[in-house]
């Protein structure tokens, strides 16, 4: 990147789990983290929107930490730059704010240090950072992803044939992933684990055949995390109850919550959002597009005056 040039990185937010697809299924959503990067004398992050105004402006920023770690891993040093940051992804609401920052950090290092990373390499770095591939995979590839992250490898399948509308019910309070994980059991007994796995398999079968009625049923049957997290997030049951009469396929806790995401027939998202907004006046309710592009990069050359 030359003096005066600008690099633009755009990363979608995401939902994860879809109920029983715990730590393995993610879906990219039309809320975005955007960086505009120019050369500078020192690394500086400038928050441009409300959701990022409290974030560190120096190397303590998560984007900077990941970018520096990625560069260092490849024996490079991240060049000094000024980074303007826009985001409409709310923090600690289960819509993938940290995952989008991780992908943005990896891409920042990839571009500024000319690492020429493949998407599979980016996924591996991101999954090692996040601990699972669902949110980061969706933010990287777009669409719906089904992934497996293990100590020695990370695998991911991306599905782009997703014909459904999504509506999010976003409570005003935050739930941090660490707190949401603390309410989970340390183990499931064998019989319960087999049943939970079968429910997850049926969820994937429904997704791959675009049978969203089946997907919705499996979301409600989740045994991995939603029954335990409902004590922290009463909206899980409340939204599930309301959408039964509104024609939606189903709902699920988005990531670690507290956001609840609902799935409804294509073209009926605005109707569902309107109805849920009147029922949940203490929450932000919004229809969101599914993002099918994932992380994208634009190089803007310096415009010289004539």
């Amino acid at each position: 990147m030359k003096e005066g040039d600008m690099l633009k990185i755009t990363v979608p937010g995401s939902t994860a789990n879809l109920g029983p697809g715990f730590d393995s299924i993610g879906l990219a959503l039309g809320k975005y983290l955007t960086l505009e990067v120019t050369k500078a004398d020192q690394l500086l992050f400038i928050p441009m929107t409300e959701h990022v105004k409290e974030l560190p402006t120096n190397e303590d920023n998560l984007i900077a930490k990941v970018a520096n770690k990625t560069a260092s891993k490849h024996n490079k040093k991240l060049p000094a730059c000024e980074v303007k940051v826009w985001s409409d992804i709310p923090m600690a609401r289960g819509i993938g704010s940290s995952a989008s920052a991780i992908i943005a950090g990896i891409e920042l290092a990839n571009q500024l240090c000319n690492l020429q990373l493949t998407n599979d390499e980016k996924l591996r770095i991101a999954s090692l950072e996040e601990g699972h591939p669902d949110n980061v995979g969706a933010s990287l590839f777009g669409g719906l992803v089904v992934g497996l992250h293990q100590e020695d490898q990370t695998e991911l399948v991306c599905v782009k044939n997703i014909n459904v509308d999504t509506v999010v019910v976003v409570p005003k309070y935050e739930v941090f992933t660490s707190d949401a994980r603390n309410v989970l059991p340390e183990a499931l007994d064998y019989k319960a684990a087999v049943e939970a796995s079968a429910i997850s398999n049926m969820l994937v079968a429904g997704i791959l055949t675009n049978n969203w009625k089946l997907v919705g049923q499996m979301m409600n049957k989740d045994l991995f995390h939603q029954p335990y997290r409902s004590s922290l997030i009463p909206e899980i049951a409340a939204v599930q109850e309301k959408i039964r009469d509104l024609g939606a396929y189903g709902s699920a806790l988005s990531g670690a919550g507290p956001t609840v995401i609902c799935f409804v027939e294509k073209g009926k998202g605005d109707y569902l959002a309107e109805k849920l907004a009147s029922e949940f006046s203490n929450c932000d309710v919004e229809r969101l597009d599914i993002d099918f592009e994932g992380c994208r990069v634009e190089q803007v050359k310096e415009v010289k005056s004539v």
Side-chain angles (χ1 to χ4, degrees):
M1 188 170 66
K2 296 178 181 177
E3 196 75 41
D5 289 354
M6 190 262 286
L7 172 71
K8 185 176 181 180
I9 299 171
T10 304
V11 186
S14 57
T15 185
N17 303 327
L18 274 66
F22 189 59
D23 277 1
S24 62
I25 298 180
L27 178 68
L29 298 175
K31 282 189 173 292
Y32 296 93
L33 171 68
T34 302
L35 311 185
E36 286 188 357
V37 187
T38 52
K39 275 197 166 185
D41 295 328
Q42 63 179 9
L43 183 60
L44 177 66
F45 289 82
I46 303 173
M48 305 296 290
T49 51
E50 188 73 17
H51 288 312
V52 290
K53 70 175 185 177
E54 302 296 334
L55 296 183
T57 59
N58 56 17
E59 297 198 357
D60 292 331
N61 190 292
L62 177 58
I63 298 168
K65 287 180 178 178
V66 173
N68 279 322
K69 189 186 293 187
T70 303
S72 177
K73 183 179 178 182
H74 293 83
N75 300 311
K76 298 285 184 75
K77 181 172 172 55
L78 190 74
C81 55
E82 178 183 282
V83 185
K84 291 181 178 177
V85 185
W86 287 261
S87 180
D88 61 355
I89 307 171
M91 304 287 289
R93 296 298 201 285
I95 315 184
S97 58
S98 63
S100 64
I102 288 168
I103 294 296
I106 293 168
E107 194 57 65
L108 183 63
N110 185 48
Q111 294 294 324
L112 296 186
C113 299
N114 193 29
L115 301 180
Q116 299 184 3
L117 297 172
T118 67
N119 275 347
D120 285 345
E121 289 170 327
K122 294 173 192 174
L123 174 68
R124 179 64 178 163
I125 296 166
S127 299
L128 286 167
E129 187 70 32
E130 181 86 332
H132 38 91
D134 44 8
N135 290 106
V136 291
S139 286
L140 178 61
F141 288 96
L144 185 140
V145 297
V146 182
L148 168 67
H149 175 64
Q150 295 176 297
E151 188 176 334
D152 58 342
Q153 67 179 18
T154 304
E155 299 287 350
L156 193 94
V157 173
C158 189
V159 182
K160 295 292 177 85
N161 182 27
I162 303 296
N163 190 30
V164 71
D165 273 357
T166 65
V167 174
V168 289
V169 179
V170 188
K172 304 291 187 185
Y173 58 88
E174 295 181 346
V175 171
F176 293 99
T177 303
S178 56
D179 296 330
R181 287 196 179 268
N182 284 340
V183 299
L184 301 180
E186 290 188 11
L188 292 178
D189 70 44
Y190 189 81
K191 185 178 178 182
V194 170
E195 184 181 1
S197 177
I199 292 167
S200 183
N201 292 343
M202 289 298 290
L203 177 89
V204 174
I207 290 167
L208 295 179
T209 56
N210 253 314
N211 183 345
W212 283 88
K213 184 177 179 182
L214 175 62
V215 171
Q217 290 171 354
M218 294 306 110
M219 286 176 181
N220 294 345
K221 289 178 181 286
D222 166 52
L223 299 177
F224 283 126
H225 74 119
Q226 292 180 140
Y228 308 101
R229 288 173 167 171
S230 59
S231 61
L232 294 177
I233 305 159
E235 284 81 6
I236 299 175
V239 171
Q240 195 178 88
E241 175 88 17
K242 292 296 179 186
I243 66 169
R244 280 183 192 144
D245 300 325
L246 294 174
Y249 293 125
S251 62
L253 187 62
S254 182
T259 295
V260 177
I261 187 163
C262 309
F263 295 86
V264 68
E265 185 181 333
K266 192 76 177 170
K268 294 186 177 179
D270 288 329
Y271 167 80
L272 180 63
E274 182 185 340
K275 291 295 184 182
L276 289 176
S278 65
E279 292 285 349
F280 295 91
S281 56
N282 59 331
C283 299
D284 295 322
V285 179
E286 187 178 358
R287 182 189 66 79
L288 294 181
D289 291 327
I290 296 171
D291 179 278
F292 291 102
E293 271 191 82
C295 177
R296 46 263 207 192
V297 178
E298 183 182 356
Q299 299 273 1
V300 183
K301 296 295 183 184
E302 181 180 17
V303 179
K304 291 183 169 65
S305 55
V306 294

